[in-house]
Amino acid sequence: MTLKKLTTALIVLPFSIHTMDAQKLTKNYEKKIDSLIQTEFGNKNEPGGVFLVSQKGKNIYRKAFGKANLELNVNMTPDNVFQIGSMTKQFTAVAILMLEQQGKLKMTDPVSKYNKDYPNGDKITIHHLLTHTSGIKDFTKMKALSSIAQKEMKPEAMVDFFKNEPVDFAPGEKFEYNNSGYVLLGYIIEVVTGDTYEDFIQKNIFDKAGMTHSYYASDRKIITERAYGYHKKEQGFVNKTVISFSVPFSSGSLMSTVDDLLKWQQALNQNVFLNSTETQKAFQKYKLNNGTEFTYGYGWHLKDMNGVPDREHGGSVFGFKSMGVYIPGEDIYVIGLSNCDCHSPTEVTRNIAKTTLNELRKR
């Protein structure tokens, strides 16, 4: 590609092709991705989203859609900060693995080691919590949740909220997605380190990876470039329901940007937090008691896309939805963040990943 042509490409694709990766993709790539996103995020006057596609750490697509704030009529930008919901679980899982690497805990440790009177706590291990195989009651399915949703809860009080509920199954019997397990992991991080979960994540993950626009969520703090969250009702859009972030806690209370999440993925690839042995524990499939393999590691779903292995996880919290797909074999990372729980980026992000995979295979 001549310098003149490259310059033209950069002018035509302001958010997208920043490097010689322009040569790798067909001319129609950006239009294809725009079209996929607009199926769900097509109205520029509604809450919207931000999408980023990278390969080998370089952005090949980065664009914002819709409004970051309806009342002030502010357009979304690729720099906006979103609540990421259950994508938080990745950070909690890596924090636990970091503590194991430091010799401060083991995956085989029983919950009773950290919460002495936890029912059946001698049979439920950290591994069970990480893999959603503990059988403990998911607090998001408890009717009493509304009674604490807006209270400031200490981690121990959150654990007490669900610990005496009847279990759904014996530890290791089945895989069933469970937020309580990840709240318990956050509590364990605090017990082991003597630090708050928020401070531990800030110092040991955000600061190390240079994630300067990632936070433990707050509705009170001034957060620059914050995207406001919305619900859609029959009469139109309304501001998101207010909850105390101490309730989802380490299962769903972090905020980030697409750029910071790319830094996170790169830091994982470069073993910034963990050595390769510990890292592998997050990304391997495990088995139930009966020997059946299930498709979840520690903090990630382990699936495949057109036969190519991938790692993915979404998130949903009042007013926001998120989705991340990483294809290790091609080092492709796709992130979609939405500021209305009426617009899901899940399938859009998956479809972008599939299209990107197909386009790169044509090169």
Side-chain angles (χ1 to χ4, degrees), residues 173-321:
E173 286 296 306
K174 62 190 278 198
F175 167 87
E176 194 166 288
Y177 191 81
N178 188 307
N179 290 285
S180 295
Y182 273 77
V183 165
L184 200 39
L185 289 167
Y187 166 79
I188 290 169
I189 289 167
E190 294 201 356
V191 169
V192 170
T193 64
D195 215 343
T196 64
Y197 173 81
E198 177 178 356
D199 287 348
F200 185 87
I201 297 295
Q202 182 67 51
K203 288 185 294 194
N204 295 282
I205 294 182
F206 293 162
D207 291 351
K208 270 190 185 178
M211 298 170 69
T212 52
H213 301 288
S214 297
Y215 313 89
Y216 187 88
S218 167
D219 282 327
R220 290 182 63 79
K221 278 186 206 162
I222 303 298
I223 293 175
T224 310
E225 305 281 359
R226 178 203 294 272
Y228 283 73
Y230 299 95
H231 306 291
K232 191 173 188 179
K233 303 290 185 187
E234 279 183 29
Q235 71 275 24
F237 292 100
V238 297
N239 286 302
K240 73 177 177 73
T241 302
V242 173
I243 57 162
S244 167
F245 294 109
S246 64
V247 175
F249 184 45
S250 47
S251 76
S253 281
L254 297 183
M255 303 177 77
S256 196
T257 64
V258 290
D259 293 335
D260 270 12
L261 289 168
L262 175 57
K263 288 180 181 177
W264 160 243
Q265 183 58 55
Q266 288 182 283
L268 288 167
N269 290 351
Q270 293 157 9
N271 295 329
V272 169
F273 314 114
L274 301 167
N275 62 37
S276 54
T277 305
E278 287 294 325
T279 301
Q280 185 52 38
K281 289 183 181 181
F283 303 129
Q284 70 183 68
K285 293 175 184 174
Y286 294 98
K287 292 180 179 178
L288 299 173
N289 296 344
N290 65 4
T292 305
E293 189 176 74
F294 57 95
T295 56
Y296 199 94
Y298 292 168
W300 279 266
H301 293 279
L302 305 173
K303 299 189 177 181
D304 68 79
M305 192 158 284
N306 298 342
V308 178
D310 77 345
R311 306 165 187 165
E312 53 187 73
H313 214 289
S316 183
V317 64
F318 289 130
F320 295 90
K321 283 184 180 286

Side-chain angles (χ1 to χ4, degrees), residues 48-286:
V50 176
F51 291 83
L52 179 145
V53 185
S54 75
Q55 194 206 16
K56 296 181 179 169
K58 299 282 197 319
N59 291 351
I60 53 177
Y61 184 97
R62 179 178 179 268
K63 240 182 218 192
F65 297 80
K67 300 289 182 187
N69 185 299
L70 295 181
E71 287 136 315
L72 300 177
N73 196 31
V74 175
N75 289 333
M76 192 76 78
T77 77
D79 297 320
N80 281 124
V81 179
F82 295 74
Q83 289 172 42
I84 62 170
S86 283
M87 284 186 73
T88 298
K89 291 179 173 71
Q90 300 173 12
F91 296 86
T92 302
V94 168
I96 288 284
L97 286 165
M98 289 168 84
L99 294 175
E100 181 176 57
Q101 187 169 289
Q102 293 164 19
K104 294 178 179 173
L105 54 73
K106 290 179 182 173
M107 297 300 120
T108 52
D109 283 349
V111 167
S112 56
K113 184 172 179 180
Y114 306 99
N115 189 301
K116 287 189 173 60
D117 60 347
Y118 199 96
N120 208 30
D122 58 332
K123 302 208 170 45
I124 302 166
T125 64
I126 288 176
H127 169 81
H128 289 133
L129 302 178
L130 285 163
T131 54
H132 303 283
T133 56
S134 67
I136 62 178
K137 181 66 68 182
D138 187 340
F139 73 88
T140 63
K141 295 174 181 172
M142 290 169 58
K143 288 180 181 173
L145 180 59
S146 58
S147 67
I148 62 159
Q150 291 168 332
K151 289 182 181 173
E152 196 58 35
M153 302 284 286
K154 295 219 175 298
E156 189 167 13
M158 267 311 297
V159 173
D160 287 345
F161 176 69
F162 57 75
K163 72 191 274 187
N164 293 310
E165 291 292 308
V167 297
D168 291 328
F169 51 87
E173 286 296 306
K174 62 190 278 198
F175 167 87
E176 194 166 288
Y177 191 81
N178 188 307
N179 290 285
S180 295
Y182 273 77
V183 165
L184 200 39
L185 289 167
Y187 166 79
I188 290 169
I189 289 167
E190 294 201 356
V191 169
V192 170
T193 64
D195 215 343
T196 64
Y197 173 81
E198 177 178 356
D199 287 348
F200 185 87
I201 297 295
Q202 182 67 51
K203 288 185 294 194
N204 295 282
I205 294 182
F206 293 162
D207 291 351
K208 270 190 185 178
M211 298 170 69
T212 52
H213 301 288
S214 297
Y215 313 89
Y216 187 88
S218 167
D219 282 327
R220 290 182 63 79
K221 278 186 206 162
I222 303 298
I223 293 175
T224 310
E225 305 281 359
R226 178 203 294 272
Y228 283 73
Y230 299 95
H231 306 291
K232 191 173 188 179
K233 303 290 185 187
E234 279 183 29
Q235 71 275 24
F237 292 100
V238 297
N239 286 302
K240 73 177 177 73
T241 302
V242 173
I243 57 162
S244 167
F245 294 109
S246 64
V247 175
F249 184 45
S250 47
S251 76
S253 281
L254 297 183
M255 303 177 77
S256 196
T257 64
V258 290
D259 293 335
D260 270 12
L261 289 168
L262 175 57
K263 288 180 181 177
W264 160 243
Q265 183 58 55
Q266 288 182 283
L268 288 167
N269 290 351
Q270 293 157 9
N271 295 329
V272 169
F273 314 114
L274 301 167
N275 62 37
S276 54
T277 305
E278 287 294 325
T279 301
Q280 185 52 38
K281 289 183 181 181
F283 303 129
Q284 70 183 68
K285 293 175 184 174
Y286 294 98

Side-chain angles (χ1 to χ4, degrees), residues 346-359:
T346 304
E347 284 310 311
V348 174
T349 304
R350 280 200 187 111
N351 288 334
I352 293 170
K354 284 176 190 169
T355 300
T356 305
L357 197 56
N358 291 337
E359 291 291 314

